[in-house]
Amino acid sequence: MADPAPQPGQDPAPQRVLDAIRRDIILGALRPGARVTEAALSTAYGVSRVPVREALRALEAEGFVESRPYAGSTVAEIPLDDAEDLFAVRGIIEATIARRAARRAATHSAGQPPGRGWWEARRTLAGVLDDGDRAVAADALADLPELNNRFHLGVASLSGSASLAALLRQISGKIEWLYAADVDSRGRHSWGEHRLILGAIDAGDEAEAERLMAGHVLSSQRGYLERFTPGPTGTDAAAR
Amino acid sequence: MADPAPQPGQDPAPQRVLDAIRRDIILGALRPGARVTEAALSTAYGVSRVPVREALRALEAEGFVESRPYAGSTVAEIPLDDAEDLFAVRGIIEATIARRAARRAATHSAGQPPGRGWWEARRTLAGVLDDGDRAVAADALADLPELNNRFHLGVASLSGSASLAALLRQISGKIEWLYAADVDSRGRHSWGEHRLILGAIDAGDEAEAERLMAGHVLSSQRGYLERFTPGPTGTDAAAR
DNA sequence: ACGATATGCTTCGTATACATTCGCGGCAAG
DNA sequence: CTTGCCGCGAATGTATACGAAGCATATCGT
């Protein structure tokens, strides 16, 4: 069947609201400390208060807003002081994910059938890499952060671990928040590493995949710290 | 003033439902794959469907249930295959938290005023340690997992990093799920280490706090693996 | 002038009612 | 006998309405 109307057109609405609010927070449209009221959001997005409530609850679980009963919700503070530690944790998570993905690829090469969504994830990943290469060639650096995110989430899908993928999603959002308005930063210099990582995964080389991913995240961290911390001594460079 | 009504009686209700459902999942009352319907939960807990929806959305963010639009929610699978990796990631997070807590304690000792909730968290932690010692002395091992959890979350509060605390909460829930019905396992042998850790934190010894916490988590992991994996070779010991 | 109390508004929490969609059983055609 | 289609039932998604709790401000008394 060609699925005459299988496309729901758009996600169920709480999802859209959730993504929209999170995007507004990450991109700075909603500043930390700002009060976010249900009524305002519901009118802004043209939905009822119930979906907004669910979205706020999810945002709270993700750490983007803080709520107190009967006291309302406010946008949380950007975790500037946690930058180094967040990068360190992300490094471990991503490296583990890469290793798991490589292991799974090796298992599949041995003849065992891959999981249900494996081929789909693998194909999506290939498309992401091609899109990224095109964006780099066209100097469309504004698209890179989004593609970068999709690449790393794609590798998480490849790893087959929902737990690790969820952790990555959470911490990745925080780090994206750190980059804030600095959109065109994670430039082309690290994009090329993606192909190497995926190559190691496809080859089933666990150690190499883990090593490459760890270095990839580390270079990202280096780029961030060089740009945002005042002094190299790194005492308390908090912009707080 | 002495806060005439500091005790709100009970948590706001969505919170209670959330904790109750999560507890049912972790303790096995709700088995993986089971369908969880809003109506059933609302009647079971005597609340409306809206708070149940919020709880389900939060559970989904935490990875305990999986939902598809218009298709309902089901209890997720226990991430048995992720045990090792989850412990590894948890080790990094907890060690980082311990180091941060020690750094903060050292800063405070230098004369700077602690954050708002610091003293409260520190006092709570002391109480948890005492309660745990009493439980150990009375052979009330059933209380230890809960106290263990409160200790580690307390240290997270001491670290002052909401981001790391949120990550710990998430991963800690997963690991608690792994232990499942094995309630009286994380026995007394590792409880005594808590006091050492807190001592290093109070002394402001970052390196020691980090080292002790890493070893503490590692011993917990050892205990888990020894109990649940069939063979020492560790091929594919998945109970799947 | 300062503080405590009281009042009003805003916001959250909950319940009820209606629209939309998915899954499944039955039925008919090949 | 298999296969495709159709209709029904149940559960989810959404909207609206109402009661309860906090917070801010204003007023009154000392």
Side-chain angles (χ1 to χ4, degrees), chain B residues 9 16 19 26-27 30 37 57 60-61 67 69 74 107 109 158 174 182 186 191 200 203 212 230 235:
Chain B
R16 292 190 311 118
D19 291 337
I26 290 179
L27 294 187
L30 291 174
T37 122
R57 177 73 56 170
E60 186 183 6
S67 303
T74 59
T107 304
S109 299
L158 233 49
K174 293 284 178 59
D182 186 51
R186 274 176 292 186
W191 177 260
L212 285 176
T235 56

Side-chain angles (χ1 to χ4, degrees), chain A residues 123-212:
Chain A
R123 204 176 321 120
T124 301
L125 223 34
V128 169
L129 280 183
D130 291 342
D131 291 347
D133 288 346
R134 269 194 292 273
V136 170
D139 260 352
L141 297 183
D143 298 339
L144 277 189
E146 169 68 19
L147 289 169
N148 186 65
N149 222 3
R150 287 172 56 189
F151 173 81
H152 287 271
L153 290 179
V155 175
S157 298
L158 233 48
S159 78
S161 169
S163 311
L164 293 174
L167 284 171
L168 175 62
R169 283 185 66 91
Q170 175 156 351
I171 201 168
S172 203
K174 294 284 177 58
I175 289 182
E176 199 177 349
W177 201 11
L178 288 175
Y179 279 99
D182 184 54
V183 172
D184 51 13
S185 62
R186 274 177 293 185
R188 69 190 78 194
H189 75 286
S190 65
W191 178 260
E193 298 175 7
H194 288 164
R195 239 172 237 290
L196 293 176
I197 294 170
L198 192 53
I201 291 174
D202 286 337
D205 190 338
E206 298 184 26
E208 183 70 1
E210 182 173 8
R211 194 184 66 81
L212 286 175

Side-chain angles (χ1 to χ4, degrees), chain A residues 24-173:
Chain A
D24 284 345
I25 291 178
I26 290 179
L27 295 185
L30 291 174
R31 308 284 290 267
R35 290 183 56 83
V36 280
T37 140
E38 300 177 2
L41 293 174
S42 63
T43 59
Y45 294 107
V47 296
S48 174
R49 270 181 47 206
V50 178
V52 173
R53 279 176 67 90
E54 299 183 24
L56 282 179
R57 177 72 59 170
L59 265 311
E60 186 183 6
E62 295 180 22
F64 285 108
V65 304
E66 294 175 353
S67 303
R68 285 187 324 174
Y70 297 100
S73 303
T74 59
V75 178
E77 291 293 323
I78 299 180
L80 290 174
D81 297 345
D82 301 344
E84 285 188 63
D85 297 330
L86 286 178
F87 270 108
V89 174
R90 177 180 168 226
I92 297 293
I93 295 176
E94 294 250 35
T96 303
I97 285 175
R99 177 164 46 78
R100 289 281 299 266
R103 180 186 306 173
R104 227 175 144 211
T107 303
H108 296 165
S109 298
Q112 303 200 15
R116 183 66 177 92
W118 195 87
W119 283 109
E120 179 185 348
R122 185 60 185 75
R123 204 176 321 120
T124 301
L125 223 34
V128 169
L129 280 183
D130 291 342
D131 291 347
D133 288 346
R134 269 194 292 273
V136 170
D139 260 352
L141 297 183
D143 298 339
L144 277 189
E146 169 68 19
L147 289 169
N148 186 65
N149 222 3
R150 287 172 56 189
F151 173 81
H152 287 271
L153 290 179
V155 175
S157 298
L158 233 48
S159 78
S161 169
S163 311
L164 293 174
L167 284 171
L168 175 62
R169 283 185 66 91
Q170 175 156 351
I171 201 168
S172 203

Side-chain angles (χ1 to χ4, degrees), chain B residues 69-220:
Chain B
Y70 296 98
S73 304
T74 59
V75 179
E77 290 294 323
I78 298 180
L80 289 174
D81 297 345
D82 301 344
E84 284 188 63
D85 297 331
L86 287 178
F87 270 108
V89 173
R90 177 179 166 224
I92 297 293
I93 294 175
E94 293 251 35
T96 304
I97 283 174
R99 177 164 47 78
R100 288 283 298 268
R103 180 187 306 173
R104 226 175 143 210
T107 304
H108 297 164
S109 299
Q112 303 199 14
R116 183 66 176 94
W118 194 87
W119 283 110
E120 180 186 348
R122 184 61 185 76
R123 203 175 321 119
T124 301
L125 223 34
V128 169
L129 280 184
D130 291 342
D131 290 347
D133 288 346
R134 268 194 293 273
V136 169
D139 260 355
L141 297 182
D143 298 339
L144 277 188
E146 171 67 19
L147 289 169
N148 186 64
N149 220 5
R150 286 172 57 189
F151 173 81
H152 287 271
L153 290 179
V155 176
S157 298
L158 233 49
S159 78
S161 169
S163 311
L164 293 174
L167 284 172
L168 175 62
R169 282 186 66 90
Q170 176 155 353
I171 200 168
S172 202
K174 293 284 178 59
I175 288 182
E176 201 176 348
W177 201 11
L178 286 176
Y179 278 98
D182 186 51
V183 171
D184 52 11
S185 61
R186 274 176 292 186
R188 68 191 77 194
H189 75 285
S190 65
W191 177 260
E193 298 175 8
H194 289 165
R195 240 173 236 289
L196 294 176
I197 294 170
L198 191 54
I201 290 173
D202 285 338
D205 191 338
E206 298 184 25
E208 184 70 359
E210 183 172 8
R211 194 184 65 80
L212 285 176
M213 183 64 94
H216 177 62
V217 173
L218 185 62
S219 79
S220 176

